[in-house]
Amino acid sequence: MKYSGNHIRRKAIAQKEEFLLEDFSGIEVEDKKNLKPIDRIHGFDVRPGFYEINGASALPDGVNFTVVSNSATACELLLFRRESTQPYARIPFPENYHVGHVFSMFVFGLKIDEFEYAYAMDGPYNPAEGLLFDKHKYLLDPYAKAVTGQSRWGMQLSDDAFYKARVVHNNFNWEMPQKKRAKLSDCIIYELHVRGFTKHESSEVCHPGTFDGIREKIPYLKALGINAVEFMPIFEFDETRSMRVVNGRKLLDYWGYNPVCFFAPNTSYASGIEYNREGHELKTLIKELHKEGIKVILDVVFNHTAEGNAQGPFFSFKGIDNNIYYMLTPEGDYYNFSGCGNTLNCNHPMVRELILNCLRYWVVNYHVDGFRFDLASILGRSEDGAPMNKPPLLESLAYDPILSGADLIAEAWDAGGLYQVGSFPAYNRWSEWNGKYRDDLRSFLKGDCGFAQAAAARICGSLDLYPPQQRGENASVNFLTCHDGFTLYDLYAYNEKHNEDNGWNNTDGTNDNRSWNCGEEGPAQSPEVLKLRFQMIKNAFAVLMCSRGTPMFLAGDEFGNTQYGNNNPYCQDNEISWLDWTMAEKNKELLEFCRFMTAFRKKHPILRKNTAVCSQGFPSLSLHGSEPWNGKYMWDTHMIGVMFAGKDDHGRDDMIYLALNTYWEDVEVTLPKLIRGVWRPAVDTARDTEAILKKEELLSESRYIMRPRSVCIFMAVQSQKHRPGD
């Protein structure tokens, strides 16, 4: 009797309760004793495979291989010993194993720990039509779950080397159930680079620059108060692409925004070579983060691949279906809306299916909680590059049942000039990196005129961009800094970018930084300048934590990490990008302030959303100036107040007044009059926070003198027994 594919899949889903399960070992097969191969090719027993199972999958008695190509006329499976560059076997797919556009073959007797594999495809070669088939090229499986060929960081592939894939075990013990994680509106997101987070010797971890290195820092993350981490790209990528030496430093593609394979974690981020364990170290990290209630969000790159343009490498999609996977001009050239040489053809049905299957795989097999999509506007372009009104891919992701619990966050612009902040096709499901929050608050906080109204709107949740009835409560991800641009310290230490070490004569990176050096460019000796810089950092962090929407900040901002004015350190695998953990002790007061603010946000739900109406009759949100209820801001307004009012988690009145004075002189502010209780300052960035807490200062007349360039947070309290944050 032949294999029953439907029977196997039903039993797999019933026993494992997982979608697209890749490890079928131990599953019974109907009349297994009567199963026999039907062909013998080059010494291997084979039979037609399971056409609906993409990639390579371990099954009882062997391995199933399935690969799809619209235009290939023939395909060979190549088997290799570990680290070998010559195949020990070449098994052509028989013509009758080619159904439609799918090649599928089951090979008996293969043990997944003993081989690696690749494909070779033949077909038409016509570059003008985008067809580049070359039967001599070894091709990486687009559905590969583990990639080999470049497992050691910074070691460039030799001229005769290439990428191969491994078949993996999927037997990780997740120890269910796990601690419930916060929904996005209650998250505080911490963006970090896997290598840079612990690579510096000051991190004092046993496995610097790896997934295990992050795991050693989980107690620090928990104490910081964040409840979501956003990993910069962890898909397999080639950091040696465009490797060069500038000013004595070897520069790499350090950030990782050039994916080689979408389904496989970057092998060089593991502390040891894992071979067929399918991301065991990454899964362990995710499991331990989840135990502490910390969500895991992946920064994913589906807008282009590392194959680049016509001069780029040729290792996977180009040789399988170049004219399907990439957007091509009528002449067969590559559209470049990504700025990286090629653009993935995301809304073609085959590519759309690949992306959907990929995200499902990470949710099911790695328990990932969400995704941030790099240059997400590309995901809404048609095959000719035109923006689509209803992009099929974005709609599919929004309504997919397996992804229904995953956060979907768009970087709502691309390198082709399409800017969609506030207008991204969201289907009431997608969130966005709010670039206008970053720009408007940066300008207002450094004292620019004309931004008071916009800054107040951003603090209130950018309702002008994200009407709740159309976008829900989770649309805006607020940030002032991220990997792309200045750190929070550098935002107030440099007027201009200083990217000379990147080797492009300081022409790379954005010129629109909206930064201010507080009086001295770069490293400062003046105590007054340094004091002002840290006050400005506190201003920014306090406002971020008191804004409606989901806050996100860059790793190291909490202790004043610097990149020495480099606002585009994508290539800097060195002290420019690595976190210097000695700064956490040196700037301990700043770190404690940031911890206080993350805790403060968590304790006051009114900062995150509308709650029940407070008994004093105040609206949930209201705008003020130096005098209460005066929210009409002029071009030269430098003082704004935002009051949040409602109930806390215990049903008690909760009123918070956020005041920003970006003027260079004192401003006297009068707070709204309370029917019951008094105002108490919880934060004054011009003063020591601990001094305020110990003094338990009350404002009997609701008046307060704000120092120049400061931010204050006031709480309504009933008596002196209530302390800030209670």
Side-chain angles (χ1 to χ4, degrees), residues 289-429:
L289 287 167
H290 283 176
K291 284 182 179 180
E292 300 299 337
I294 299 174
K295 297 176 77 166
V296 174
I297 299 169
L298 300 186
D299 188 343
V300 293
V301 184
F302 291 115
N303 54 74
H304 74 285
T305 76
E307 288 190 300
N309 58 20
Q311 287 72 49
F314 186 124
F315 58 79
S316 185
F317 296 116
K318 284 182 177 179
I320 295 174
D321 265 325
N322 181 67
N323 63 333
I324 296 294
Y325 284 103
Y326 297 117
M327 290 185 190
L328 302 179
T329 69
E331 297 75 31
D333 297 325
Y334 294 94
Y335 280 117
N336 187 18
F337 299 111
S338 67
C340 297
N342 64 47
T343 305
L344 209 63
N345 192 13
C346 297
N347 283 294
H348 186 283
M350 270 182 56
V351 186
R352 190 165 73 239
E353 180 183 16
L354 175 93
I355 294 173
L356 187 61
N357 286 339
C358 175
L359 297 176
R360 287 170 167 174
Y361 176 77
W362 285 97
V363 167
V364 170
N365 292 279
Y366 282 84
H367 293 203
V368 166
D369 300 288
F371 306 93
R372 176 265 186 189
F373 294 79
D374 181 63
L375 299 182
S377 289
I378 285 177
L379 278 59
R381 290 184 182 269
S382 65
E383 292 189 50
D384 63 0
M388 307 174 77
N389 289 328
K390 294 183 178 180
L393 174 61
L394 300 183
E395 183 179 38
S396 297
L397 299 182
Y399 295 115
D400 185 75
I402 289 179
L403 301 180
S404 63
D407 300 320
L408 305 178
I409 305 171
E411 183 185 38
W413 54 85
D414 65 26
L418 186 57
Y419 188 81
Q420 295 179 304
V421 171
S423 61
F424 189 79
Y427 301 96
N428 203 24
R429 174 75 170 84

Side-chain angles (χ1 to χ4, degrees), residues 29 43 85 158 294 300 313 323 347 458 465 529 533 537 578 608 692 726:
V29 182
T85 59
S158 61
I294 299 174
V300 293
N323 63 333
N347 283 294
R458 303 296 154 250
L465 301 175
V529 169
R533 284 181 181 175
I537 293 171
W578 301 343
R608 308 190 297 274
I692 296 175
D726 287 348

Side-chain angles (χ1 to χ4, degrees), residues 57 70 190 214 237 389 399 433 504 544 584 658 669 717:
S57 307
N70 267 27
Y190 188 73
I214 297 174
F237 64 88
N389 289 328
Y399 295 115
W433 268 24
W504 307 112
L544 181 65
L658 173 68
V669 58
V717 296

